[in-house]
Amino acid sequence: MAAPSKKKRSRSRTKPHPGSANHARRDHRSPVTAPRPATLRDWIGAARLRTLPLAVTPILIGTGAAVLIERPLHWVIALACLVVSVSLQIGVNYANDYSDGVRGTDAYRVGPARLTGAGKAKPRTVLIVALVFFAIAGLAGLAITIRTEQWWFLAVGAACILAAWFYTGGKRPYGYAGLGELFVFVFFGLVATLGTTWVQVFALPQEAWFGAVGAGLLACAVLLANNLRDIDQDRVAGKRTLTVLIGRRATQVLFTVFVLVPFGIAGYLAVFYPIAWLTAMALLLALPAILIVWTYRQPRELVIALALTSGTSLAFGAFLFWAFAG
């Protein structure tokens, strides 16, 4: 009888008591670390500097085309156009950060962390910053309108701001329905380039149209690289970008077309403006971007392709400006 009692006592000693240290260690939960507040570097990163050349390119091309019609350069209006374009680009980047963050889309991101999605800044703060940049663009646009007395430009400016907001904002954002590239082509290609030319000389030469198409296609290529990077995550999040709709292979083909067609346009313009042949130097950036898009193994590699394509756009615009104004 003694042996079983001893075994029973031994078993009771080894059984952990709810208040024992062993139990406490087993039920220990690591505290959740709160995201650190956004630093100045985080805010600058959220402006997505890699995309800003897309805002500069149409201003360069549009101003160059204006110089073909009338010299000297209307540099004050040109700078005001640049403020409008860059402010809209930054504003739409912050607006996307806000909208994707509150929707939960950025929880699936592969690229750099966003302010809202990562919890580094309050959504309201990010929204206010976006609205500030939209207001800067609006004020610069208003100044251009008053200076040129082209009052119908107020409607164009309002359309630009609405397009920037509803890309990922609102109940039915068009960026979630495969229409992002179309709107980017229209507003960051045609509207930005042709608008810049018009407010300077009240004319739209064919050179402005050709350049606008090139700028728009390169802007679309940047968006394709971005969406190709996030294709799997966007499917999970229910974000139906053009890339999600047509698939990875078709996106690679379309990206290649969008990058190379502008060089065909530049080749045609070079027949009349020989300096335009120098746009071929931008292929030093464009070809590696195409190679990455076709051979990448990790989605993060496409961040490099995006940056290279954005740089291609800036070089393309700079050489066309030189060709037209030189």
Side-chain angles (χ1 to χ4, degrees):
M1 295 294 293
S5 297
K6 185 176 181 180
K7 187 179 294 185
K8 185 176 180 180
R9 288 195 299 271
S10 175
R11 194 179 298 122
S12 66
R13 284 196 300 268
T14 59
K15 183 178 180 180
H17 188 273
S20 67
N22 288 337
H23 181 81
R25 282 194 296 270
R26 187 171 64 246
D27 282 0
H28 176 71
R29 297 289 185 269
S30 299
V32 177
T33 303
R36 61 177 177 80
T39 62
L40 177 61
R41 183 175 181 178
D42 292 327
W43 282 101
I44 293 174
R48 303 182 213 175
L49 301 185
R50 294 185 186 91
T51 66
L52 295 190
L54 303 178
V56 179
T57 298
I59 309 306
L60 288 172
I61 296 173
T63 300
V67 172
L68 288 174
I69 303 297
E70 180 181 313
R71 292 177 183 268
L73 172 68
H74 298 275
W75 63 271
V76 174
I77 296 179
L79 286 177
C81 290
L82 183 63
V83 171
V84 172
S85 186
V86 172
S87 297
L88 277 176
Q89 180 70 66
I90 296 175
V92 75
N93 288 342
Y94 282 121
N96 290 352
D97 189 302
Y98 166 79
S99 297
D100 284 343
V102 297
R103 287 176 187 277
T105 307
D106 282 344
Y108 307 96
R109 276 182 61 78
V110 174
R114 300 276 180 84
L115 295 173
T116 308
K120 293 182 177 182
K122 294 179 180 179
R124 179 181 175 84
T125 304
V126 178
L127 175 60
I128 290 173
V129 172
L131 294 177
V132 166
F133 278 99
F134 286 151
I136 293 172
L139 289 173
L142 179 61
I144 294 171
T145 302
I146 294 173
R147 172 66 178 80
T148 60
E149 296 185 354
Q150 299 292 294
W151 303 108
W152 57 274
F153 249 66
L154 294 176
V156 175
C160 289
I161 293 175
L162 289 175
W165 172 253
F166 285 107
Y167 173 57
T168 56
K171 294 182 178 180
R172 292 183 176 83
Y174 63 84
Y176 282 58
L179 297 174
E181 284 75 10
L182 174 61
F183 278 78
V184 164
F185 178 79
V186 170
F187 286 97
F188 281 94
L190 301 183
V191 173
T193 306
L194 300 177
T196 298
T197 302
W198 180 266
V199 295
Q200 294 185 57
V201 294
F202 306 137
L204 293 176
Q206 65 176 358
E207 291 84 354
W209 287 94
F210 281 119
V213 171
L217 290 177
L218 288 169
C220 289
V222 169
L223 183 57
L224 282 177
N226 180 79
N227 290 341
L228 183 60
R229 181 196 66 198
D230 294 333
I231 183 172
D232 295 326
Q233 293 71 31
D234 285 343
R235 284 196 182 111
V236 174
K239 186 176 182 179
R240 301 175 73 239
T241 62
L242 179 62
T243 295
V244 168
L245 293 175
I246 67 177
R248 183 173 281 106
R249 183 65 70 204
T251 297
Q252 291 169 323
V253 172
L254 195 59
F255 175 86
T256 305
V257 172
F258 283 175
V259 170
L260 294 182
V261 166
F263 290 97
I265 292 173
Y268 170 75
L269 291 173
V271 174
F272 310 97
Y273 308 98
I275 294 176
W277 285 115
L278 293 177
T279 56
M281 294 180 63
L283 287 170
L284 296 174
L285 299 173
L287 295 180
I290 293 172
L291 182 63
I292 291 171
V293 165
W294 280 94
T295 64
Y296 76 98
R297 297 296 181 88
Q298 298 296 327
R300 293 183 184 277
E301 296 173 40
L302 291 169
V303 175
I304 301 174
L306 185 155
L308 289 172
T309 309
S310 188
T312 300
S313 173
L314 182 60
F316 178 83
F319 283 124
L320 280 192
F321 172 81
W322 186 9
F324 295 155

